[in-house]
Amino acid sequence: MARVEHDHSKYNNIRFDTQDESAIMVDILETIPYEYVGKRTEIMMPTSEFTSVCPWSGLPDFAELKIYLIPNEKLIEMKSLKYYLTSYRNVGIYQEHATNRILNDLVACCDPLYMRIEANWNARGGLGTQVVVEYKKEEAQN
């Protein structure tokens, strides 16, 4: 078999431009009134289109998100959620930090009784990551 030689030094200084977290469009998030206040309805909003970038390499990170919500008085308006999630596209943020940031921003937006985010990040180098974060409103923890 022929011996193939590669010069990997050409990759040493490659870095794609990334944005910092100030590019995340938190102000785009909107809510609509929840008409069944007091009724514990679980809502699940899935997307397989979430992407951000690794802050170390600038390479894309892709995740399937499942956002579980038990609303209090407000629902997240879906179009605004889509724009918010899309604003992460070029943001350099670690997977665990992105998942926690999304939870914090959405809780601040809609003040739910309960929220859980499951992020299944695509494997890179044979390793995938699943990050699960949750929030329970203090008075709703019974």
Side-chain angles (χ1 to χ4, degrees):
M1 179 158 28
R3 181 164 167 80
V4 178
E5 301 218 8
H6 296 281
D7 177 9
H8 295 285
S9 66
K10 64 185 173 186
Y11 299 106
N12 289 345
N13 294 315
I14 293 177
R15 178 163 173 87
F16 295 100
D17 289 337
T18 60
Q19 296 174 299
D20 64 27
E21 290 185 44
S22 68
I24 299 170
M25 297 175 7
V26 179
D27 292 341
I28 198 85
L29 288 168
E30 295 182 23
T31 61
I32 57 175
Y34 178 56
E35 296 180 6
Y36 297 92
V37 174
K39 182 174 173 82
R40 293 181 67 89
T41 302
E42 183 175 82
I43 301 159
M44 195 269 282
M45 297 167 278
T47 182
S48 58
E49 299 178 351
F50 183 81
T51 186
S52 59
V53 295
C54 172
W56 184 76
S57 68
L59 294 172
D61 281 326
F62 297 94
E64 179 180 320
L65 299 180
K66 291 182 181 175
I67 302 168
Y68 295 89
L69 165 71
I70 297 176
N72 187 14
E73 296 180 2
K74 297 181 251 180
L75 298 169
I76 298 170
E77 194 280 322
M78 298 296 280
K79 180 179 175 182
S80 75
L81 178 61
K82 179 66 176 182
Y83 277 96
Y84 166 78
L85 293 174
T86 301
S87 73
Y88 279 80
R89 182 178 180 147
N90 294 314
V91 173
I93 187 169
Y94 292 110
Q95 297 169 350
E96 300 82 358
H97 298 173
T99 309
N100 275 284
R101 170 75 192 259
I102 293 166
L103 176 71
N104 292 345
D105 288 347
L106 296 183
V107 165
C109 170
C110 71
D111 186 33
L113 297 176
Y114 172 82
M115 184 174 283
R116 174 184 172 99
I117 298 179
E118 297 176 4
N120 290 305
W121 295 87
N122 287 5
R124 271 203 281 133
L127 292 173
T129 308
Q130 181 181 40
V131 181
V132 178
V133 293
E134 83 180 353
Y135 163 85
K136 292 180 184 175
K137 191 171 186 75
E138 203 167 297
E139 61 265 22
Q141 290 193 22
N142 48 14

